[in-house]
């Protein structure tokens, strides 16, 4: 079956540090890949997406590249801010999941300190 | 425009009791999804409504869970009787079109604690 594996958190780092959150997946077919973020007290928000191999999704300074050869979609940001503290979820949806049936990872909590 | 809203934001109930969670989707969104995150694990799909019809309920864990969407507007998810392992965060999402992940808007979730 389909699955998404993320690095465990919490990840604690200082402001302006480089952030990487690893995400690998197993899926039948050709999935679309997503990163969702949940800020404290808020709902899940789409952060970025990529729908085919070598696509790079980007938003708010975050980037992730769809790597089919390594089945990965690692999230990166060059200089984090305190406001980036949140839980980040990697997710996929396959071509057969045409009804918004997202498959999520377990989430990675990120804590950015001043 | 209001987003997806969920009620209550938190609920603490005793094992064996009944709890009803509510989700108000974005107006005009025919598709409504329920997900849950248990014990800090992955967020798992529960079911999908198209208007008032259950399109896919393959993720519902057992018959203690009942989801309804009367009139195709808001939805309720009832847990009866609640068990300890039902504790977690229940998310609702809605979309206008058949979602491709990026088209689903999520609520803030309901944190359910069963003691």
């Amino acid at each position: 079956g389909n699955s998404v594996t993320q690095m465990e958190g919490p990840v604690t780092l200082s402001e302006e540090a480089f952030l990487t959150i690893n995400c690998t997946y197993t899926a039948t077919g050709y999935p679309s890949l997503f990163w969702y973020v949940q800020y404290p007290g808020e709902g899940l928000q789409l952060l970025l997406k990529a729908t085919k191999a070598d696509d790079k999704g980007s938003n708010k300074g975050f980037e992730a590249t769809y790597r089919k050869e390594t089945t990965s979609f690692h999230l990166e940001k060059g200089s984090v801010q305190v406001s980036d503290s949140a839980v980040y979820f990697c997710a996929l949806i396959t071509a057969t999941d045409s009804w918004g049936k997202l498959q999520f990872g377990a989430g990675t909590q990120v804590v950015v300190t001043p | 425009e209001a987003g997806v809203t969920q009620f209550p934001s938190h609920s603490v109930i005793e094992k064996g009791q009944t709890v009803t969670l509510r989700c108000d989707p974005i107006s005009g969104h025919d598709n409504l999804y329920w997900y849950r995150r248990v014990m800090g694990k992955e967020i798992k799909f529960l079911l999908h409504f198209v208007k008032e019809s259950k399109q896919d309920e393959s993720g519902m864990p057992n018959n203690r869970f009942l989801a309804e969407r009367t009139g195709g507007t808001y939805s309720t998810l009832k847990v009866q009787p609640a068990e300890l392992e039902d504790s977690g965060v229940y998310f609702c999402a809605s979309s206008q079109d058949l979602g491709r992940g990026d088209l689903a808007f999520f609520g803030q979730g309901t944190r359910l604690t069963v003691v």
Side-chain angles (χ1 to χ4, degrees):
Chain A
N2 302 328
S3 67
V4 177
T5 302
Q6 291 182 235
M7 61 188 289
E8 287 190 22
V11 174
T12 303
L13 58 167
S14 300
E15 207 164 23
E16 298 184 3
F18 185 87
L19 170 67
T20 299
I21 304 176
N22 291 337
C23 170
T24 57
Y25 68 88
T26 302
T28 54
Y30 211 130
S32 295
L33 302 174
F34 308 89
W35 277 99
Y36 275 82
V37 58
Q38 185 180 22
Y39 298 104
E42 298 185 15
L44 286 166
Q45 303 173 24
L46 178 67
L47 181 59
L48 52 84
K49 66 175 182 178
T51 57
K52 61 182 187 294
D54 300 325
D55 265 3
K56 178 184 285 187
S58 61
N59 186 24
K60 298 183 180 181
F62 289 89
E63 291 184 340
T65 301
Y66 190 143
R67 301 289 188 197
K68 186 169 184 283
E69 64 276 13
T70 55
T71 62
S72 65
F73 193 53
H74 305 322
L75 183 68
E76 297 181 336
K77 185 172 184 180
S79 176
V80 293
Q81 305 300 312
V82 172
S83 58
D84 294 322
S85 297
V87 182
Y88 293 81
F89 295 90
C90 187
L92 66 81
I93 189 166
T94 69
T96 56
D97 295 327
S98 57
W99 294 316
K101 192 173 175 178
L102 288 156
Q103 178 81 41
F104 285 94
T108 303
Q109 183 176 10
V110 172
V111 178
V112 181
T113 58
Chain B
E1 178 182 317
V4 176
T5 53
Q6 294 185 243
F7 307 95
S9 56
H10 295 86
S11 180
V12 180
I13 62 170
E14 293 184 351
K15 176 182 172 181
Q17 289 186 322
T18 298
V19 63
T20 300
L21 313 181
R22 173 170 168 150
C23 169
D24 287 57
I26 293 173
S27 178
H29 282 192
D30 288 340
N31 296 280
L32 187 148
Y33 314 87
W34 283 98
Y35 290 83
R36 75 171 178 176
R37 187 185 189 208
V38 173
M39 293 287 289
K41 296 184 179 178
E42 66 269 25
I43 300 172
K44 288 195 172 182
F45 169 86
L46 295 178
L47 86 161
H48 168 218
F49 283 100
V50 177
K51 297 184 180 179
E52 67 275 8
S53 299
K54 292 176 185 176
Q55 194 70 34
D56 181 350
E57 52 184 331
S58 61
M60 294 289 266
N62 52 62
N63 58 9
R64 294 187 293 104
F65 289 76
L66 175 65
E68 294 180 322
R69 192 182 181 195
T70 306
T73 54
Y74 69 91
S75 174
T76 58
L77 180 64
K78 180 189 289 187
V79 185
Q80 179 182 29
E83 299 290 343
L84 298 179
E85 64 264 26
D86 300 331
S87 296
V89 180
Y90 290 76
F91 292 100
C92 176
S94 72
S95 67
Q96 188 169 35
D97 299 316
L98 290 176
R100 291 299 302 171
D102 55 336
L103 299 178
F105 295 85
F106 282 79
Q108 82 280 12
T110 293
R111 181 175 294 279
L112 175 64
T113 303
V114 182
V115 297

